[in-house]
Amino acid sequence: MEPRSRPRIILGLVAFFGLITLFTVGLFMLPWRSEVASDEGGGIDAVITYLLVATGALVVLGHYVLIRFLWNGNGEKGYTRPTPKVEWMWGIIPVVIMMILSEAGVLVVGAPTWKKLYVDRAENPVQIEVVGKQFQWYVRYPGKDGVYGDYDFEEIDGADNPLGLLDDSDAAVDDIVTSKLRLPLGRPVQIRMRTHDVIHSFFVPDFRVKQDLIPGFPTEIRFTPTKLGEYELACSELCGLAHYRMKAPVLVMEPEAFDKWLAAQRGYFE
């Protein structure tokens, strides 16, 4: 490389690594994420931070290699083609590094949280069903008998029976249907999900939980709320023209207040 080109490269290096420094400071010091409100949220944040750090390291490493090639190039001596072995090394080694960082690393960091969300089963979790329907969330609690009532899609009747519950089902009589998701603080909850039409996605950012609702394929997720307050349940899957208004409040209550509220509710057909 000609000497007069090096000042421009130095200026570019200062700008590039300055941006990297600002990004790093922002990542670890500025509050760009909401406060975690679930026991599993910390693990999700750890995966996000790991991915940002890993991909950032790859960007820096890749630019370092590129800059070395530019800096050490010598037009006066001409270009010497590398051997096939060197070309294969430069082609394979970066791919292996990326696979280790992106695949193996994510598995190691994220596996414990995945186990909490989808594998571990707590004793006596709070049972809740969340149903997605253009463009509304419905929440169902199994009532005093602890059993969900039967439903039939053909029985869906607008606001009168939005979930298609069967009025001749004994278990459905005391089921509680509401448009607000209420959760007890510190108790494990098990939420099963289904959709009446298209794909929706259950997403509470403060809990760091997200789960798709797929037609004809009931899904499930488990987590434990750790902070009192009101949050928002959003649909993170584009589900139609009114997707923007498909949201519902999520209220985390003291366990005693939750039990009192649940006991005071009337069943859907009572």
Side-chain angles (χ1 to χ4, degrees), residues 37-38 126 182-189 207 224-229 231 251-258:
S38 74
V126 178
R182 289 177 171 84
L183 305 171
L185 177 70
R187 286 186 189 171
V189 296
F207 296 163
T224 303
T226 57
K227 291 187 181 297
L228 295 172
Y231 307 97
L251 183 61
V252 178
M253 311 167 63
E254 291 286 359
E256 296 79 9
F258 173 80

Side-chain angles (χ1 to χ4, degrees), residues 48-190:
I48 295 173
T49 301
Y50 169 79
L51 285 171
L52 288 173
V53 172
T55 54
L58 287 174
V59 169
V60 172
L61 180 61
H63 279 76
Y64 168 77
V65 173
L66 177 62
I67 291 165
R68 283 293 304 270
F69 277 125
L70 292 173
W71 189 269
N72 294 332
N74 193 332
E76 297 179 357
K77 295 182 179 180
Y79 170 75
T80 301
R81 181 180 177 85
T83 64
K85 181 179 179 180
V86 172
E87 288 182 340
W88 273 102
M89 288 178 58
W90 280 110
I92 294 176
I93 291 177
V95 174
V96 173
I97 293 175
M98 286 188 290
M99 289 180 62
I100 293 174
L101 290 177
S102 63
E103 302 295 335
V106 169
L107 286 175
V108 171
V109 177
T113 302
W114 174 273
K115 186 171 179 288
K116 288 182 179 180
L117 292 171
Y118 296 103
V119 179
D120 291 344
R121 294 186 177 274
E123 293 184 6
N124 300 320
V126 178
Q127 300 284 342
I128 305 172
E129 181 182 64
V130 174
V131 181
K133 181 181 179 182
Q134 293 176 315
F135 297 94
Q136 176 73 44
W137 291 107
Y138 293 97
V139 181
R140 180 164 66 135
Y141 298 85
K144 298 179 179 62
D145 61 2
V147 180
Y148 291 109
D150 297 328
Y151 62 89
D152 188 335
F153 286 109
E154 294 184 357
E155 296 297 320
I156 295 175
D157 184 19
D160 293 331
N161 192 0
L163 302 186
L165 300 181
L166 300 178
D167 56 5
D168 60 352
S169 171
D170 293 337
V173 172
D174 65 348
D175 283 3
I176 300 165
V177 179
T178 179
S179 58
K180 178 182 287 189
L181 177 59
R182 289 177 171 84
L183 305 171
L185 177 70
R187 286 186 189 171
V189 296
Q190 180 176 321

Side-chain angles (χ1 to χ4, degrees), residues 130-138 194-195 197-203 213 232-237 239-240 242-248:
V130 174
V131 181
K133 181 181 179 182
Q134 293 176 315
F135 297 94
Q136 176 73 44
W137 291 107
Y138 293 97
R194 58 187 175 94
T195 173
D197 36 52
V198 300
I199 296 177
H200 299 286
S201 187
F202 177 97
F203 181 39
L213 286 69
E232 182 178 273
L233 165 59
C235 177
S236 61
E237 186 76 34
C239 58
H243 163 72
Y244 68 93
R245 63 180 174 85
M246 188 169 176
K247 54 187 177 181

